[in-house]
Amino acid sequence: MYNPKSLKAEEFIDHQEILDTLAFADEHKNDREMIEQILEKAAQYKGLTHREASVLLACEDEELNQKVCQLAEQIKKDFYGNRIVMFAPLYLSNYCINGCTYCPYHMKNKHIARKKLTQDEIRAEVIALQDMGHKRLAIEAGEDPKNNPIEYILESIRTIYSIHHKNGDIRRVNVNIAATTVENYRKLKEAGIGTYILFQETYHKESYEALHPTGPKHDYAYHTEAMDRAMEGGIDDVGLGVLFGLEMYRYEFAGLLMHAEHLEAVQGVGPHTISVPRIKHADDIDPNAFDNSVPDDMFAKIIACIRVAVPYTGMIISTRESEKVRAMALRLGISQISGGSRTSVGGYTEEERPHDTEQFDVSDQRTLDEVVKWLMEDDFIPSFCTACYRAGRTGDRFMQLCKSRQILNCCHPNALMTLQEYLEDYASPETKTVGEKLIQAELNNIPNEKVRTKTIEYLGKIRSGSERDFRF
Ligand code: SAM
């Protein structure tokens, strides 16, 4: 029986409730009156239920679909402004004992080179990332208790935070590792991680079990209940996601929102972020072998519908997607993107992009500097800000900031100051010219005069090179 407050995976992601939701959505996909009512509710920025959002996703009326996209754009602007948070993935190890059929790190893949970074190698990778200008990382590892035990992950986090090369600094480490125990989540929390990210891959239990035939990840309930354990362990920023292409996107969409509703109902706070990865070609993996691929226009609609359904949740898109798709996604709701990414273990210290240990092909192969310049030319502010969690604004405290609309007096100046650091320390001359102009113009959008004056003072200090890491 469906129960969003239950702690059992099969009750808060109830299969029958998803089927009923899809039937309800089909029944009402041309129900103009209902769709307009749902849009009115969404326009109050209070979010939608999985059923309501599923009706929007199913809607076939061109004009109403346009309205969904317009509303998504408006919500994006009102809550997140034009700031885009930047990050990079750091692959620590591709040893893995799971059998995920879509992932090249699966245990039976004998022709992929296996590699696990030593602490010295991590140091070199982090210096390379700092020299690009990154301040925020997402660490990634396969699941292998022997090769990648929690102690290895914790030691790696300590190493990452300890490195300060020139003006470089990694100020937030998010973690994307396999589902684990409350005790291990507590250790991750103590190590000072930002968000704990775990993609569900698919919410469809039967497909999940078939796609993960062997290894600890086979256990659907253990995987699906991981976020509750993470929160029990004290981590209050968690990141959800599904790997689009594995199952029917409408099923995944409903499941994803039910998961968010469950976290809100039980933990009092919804997911901090939602990622929207799509399956990609990789060594040993042909994406065409998975017959639920999502075309670009539907992918855009999924992003817009997530944006209107959970307005307070950040949305992430990676370099799995091309420049063109990322441009569309940014407009419709994405608030965080990776740049200059290498998805291979040890890839950042190699001159040429290595492919032998790569997790998936990267579509957007531009450098971070190119991505930063591209964003600014489109009037986005690339932000290297990590202030919230360092100031203790996590979980519901972050949501409060969002809901009280204080973001413009806080996130906006923080974005400008961290962008200024980037321009001083890492940008090419062309990017710096574009950025300086943007910062000058954007200063006028800080509503509070005192905050604006302080920001101007801090920007001056950053330019003169005397100080770094200011934040509100
Ligand atoms: N191993 C960890 C786990 O089991 O959750 C997480 C790290 S894994 C490196 C990060 C994510 O990459 C996976 O959760 C999966 O969604 C995604 N991924 C795996 N194979 C992929 C592929 N062929 N194309 C795109 N994304 C893929």
Side-chain angles (χ1 to χ4, degrees):
M1 258 283 283
Y2 176 48
N3 176 8
K5 287 202 165 155
S6 166
L7 290 173
K8 285 197 181 131
E10 282 181 68
E11 290 176 359
F12 66 80
I13 307 291
D14 179 63
H15 177 61
Q16 193 55 47
E17 171 59 21
I18 299 187
L19 295 185
D20 293 349
T21 297
L22 299 189
F24 180 82
D26 271 335
E27 207 180 302
H28 295 284
K29 66 184 175 195
N30 295 315
D31 183 341
R32 211 182 163 86
E33 204 183 316
M34 179 184 277
I35 294 171
E36 278 175 347
Q37 272 172 12
I38 295 173
L39 277 167
E40 260 169 47
K41 179 178 172 195
Q44 292 167 21
Y45 294 9
K46 294 207 169 108
L48 295 176
T49 66
H50 61 279
R51 281 211 178 195
E52 292 162 337
S54 293
V55 173
L56 291 191
L57 189 66
C59 166
E60 287 170 344
D61 182 301
E62 204 33 53
E63 191 198 327
L64 290 173
N65 280 337
Q66 283 296 330
K67 282 194 182 166
V68 175
C69 289
Q70 281 162 9
L71 183 57
E73 280 189 44
Q74 197 56 50
I75 291 177
K76 166 82 198 297
K77 274 194 201 125
D78 288 352
F79 279 119
Y80 298 89
N82 52 351
R83 294 175 307 283
I84 303 293
V85 170
M86 309 300 301
F87 79 100
L90 172 59
Y91 283 75
L92 297 180
S93 166
N94 64 0
Y95 282 94
C96 194
I97 58 167
N98 284 314
C100 316
T101 54
Y102 49 84
C103 179
Y105 294 171
H106 70 82
M107 194 182 180
K108 287 197 183 130
N109 186 357
K110 296 291 177 216
H111 42 88
I112 195 166
R114 297 288 168 175
K115 197 168 170 188
K116 169 188 168 183
L117 297 179
T118 63
Q119 298 306 308
D120 278 342
E121 285 168 332
I122 292 174
R123 221 161 267 128
E125 287 280 290
V126 169
I127 287 174
L129 282 156
Q130 290 185 359
D131 281 346
M132 286 160 73
H134 278 295
K135 299 282 187 265
R136 174 189 293 243
L137 300 183
I139 56 173
E140 315 271 340
E143 179 166 17
D144 185 333
K146 262 205 199 113
N147 284 299
N148 320 328
I150 193 72
E151 291 71 25
Y152 169 70
I153 305 289
L154 297 169
E155 189 185 2
S156 304
I157 295 169
R158 279 194 293 275
T159 299
I160 295 168
Y161 279 134
S162 74
I163 300 161
H164 305 284
H165 179 66
K166 298 185 183 161
N167 282 334
D169 207 4
I170 298 300
R171 299 171 183 160
R172 177 171 180 139
V173 178
N174 296 335
V175 174
N176 184 3
I177 60 165
T180 184
T181 58
V182 173
E183 194 190 329
N184 285 348
Y185 286 126
R186 196 161 285 128
K187 289 179 184 166
L188 287 170
K189 167 77 183 172
E190 280 159 13
I193 71 161
T195 313
Y196 171 65
I197 300 165
L198 181 69
F199 299 159
Q200 178 63 28
E201 320 299 7
T202 175
Y203 283 97
H204 192 289
K205 182 169 184 266
E206 217 175 282
S207 301
Y208 181 94
E209 287 169 352
L211 289 158
H212 307 95
T214 55
K217 196 167 170 179
H218 177 74
D219 187 336
Y220 176 83
Y222 191 73
H223 188 82
T224 312
E225 293 158 11
M227 293 314 193
D228 292 293
R229 290 196 301 281
M231 287 182 148
E232 198 185 328
I235 297 174
D236 43 18
D237 284 348
V238 298
L240 303 182
V242 288
L243 186 53
F244 284 101
L246 299 178
E247 243 301 336
M248 258 176 57
Y249 68 83
R250 298 177 59 205
Y251 192 101
E252 304 296 24
F253 178 81
L256 189 59
L257 293 183
M258 283 161 73
H259 201 170
E261 285 164 16
H262 160 75
L263 294 176
E264 182 100 43
V266 173
Q267 311 290 349
V269 55
H272 188 65
T273 55
I274 288 181
S275 300
V276 288
R278 281 194 290 185
I279 192 153
K280 293 279 301 174
H281 170 267
D283 177 79
D284 210 33
I285 306 296
D286 172 10
N288 297 322
F290 301 88
D291 47 14
N292 289 296
S293 69
V294 183
D296 289 353
D297 52 349
M298 188 45 75
F299 188 52
K301 192 166 176 206
I302 291 171
I303 292 171
C305 287
I306 296 176
R307 180 67 302 139
V308 302
V310 281
Y312 308 116
T313 299
M315 284 180 76
I316 303 180
I317 204 162
S318 74
T319 55
R320 287 178 184 85
E321 300 296 340
S322 66
E323 174 180 337
K324 185 166 154 257
V325 170
R326 298 214 306 167
M328 165 278 287
L330 285 170
R331 210 168 34 79
L332 291 175
I334 297 293
S335 50
Q336 210 178 114
I337 67 171
S338 45
S341 305
R342 300 240 166 136
T343 62
S344 45
V345 183
Y348 293 108
T349 42
E350 307 267 346
E351 260 318 297
E352 290 284 316
R353 179 180 292 277
H355 295 290
D356 60 334
T357 62
E358 215 174 30
Q359 199 199 10
F360 51 80
D361 289 356
V362 168
S363 293
D364 188 343
Q365 301 207 354
R366 292 172 296 172
T367 63
L368 179 63
D369 192 68
E370 286 166 336
V371 175
V372 165
K373 181 159 169 277
W374 168 74
L375 285 172
M376 296 191 301
E377 284 171 344
D378 240 359
D379 283 331
F380 288 111
I381 308 171
S383 171
F384 293 87
C385 179
T386 52
C388 271
Y389 104 104
R390 294 164 76 214
R393 290 190 296 260
T394 57
D396 55 350
R397 286 172 301 277
F398 170 76
M399 295 295 171
Q400 279 314 320
L401 178 81
C402 225
K403 290 178 187 173
S404 65
R405 307 271 184 100
Q406 273 309 303
I407 272 184
L408 268 183
N409 282 319
C410 186
C411 305
H412 192 71
N414 285 344
L416 298 182
M417 293 188 297
T418 54
L419 176 60
Q420 186 72 57
E421 289 186 352
Y422 176 83
L423 298 180
E424 288 306 321
D425 295 338
Y426 309 104
S428 65
E430 304 80 56
T431 303
K432 192 170 178 188
T433 308
V434 179
E436 290 287 358
K437 245 172 94 182
L438 181 82
I439 291 174
Q440 281 314 310
E442 288 290 346
L443 278 170
N444 298 324
N445 294 330
I446 302 173
N448 183 310
E449 207 180 307
K450 268 195 194 147
V451 175
R452 199 177 330 124
T453 310
K454 266 274 171 235
T455 305
I456 293 169
E457 180 194 325
Y458 291 157
L459 286 171
K461 288 189 175 172
I462 295 168
R463 278 194 203 102
S464 69
S466 59
E467 273 177 81
R468 293 283 178 274
D469 202 13
F470 296 100
R471 61 182 145 98
F472 290 99

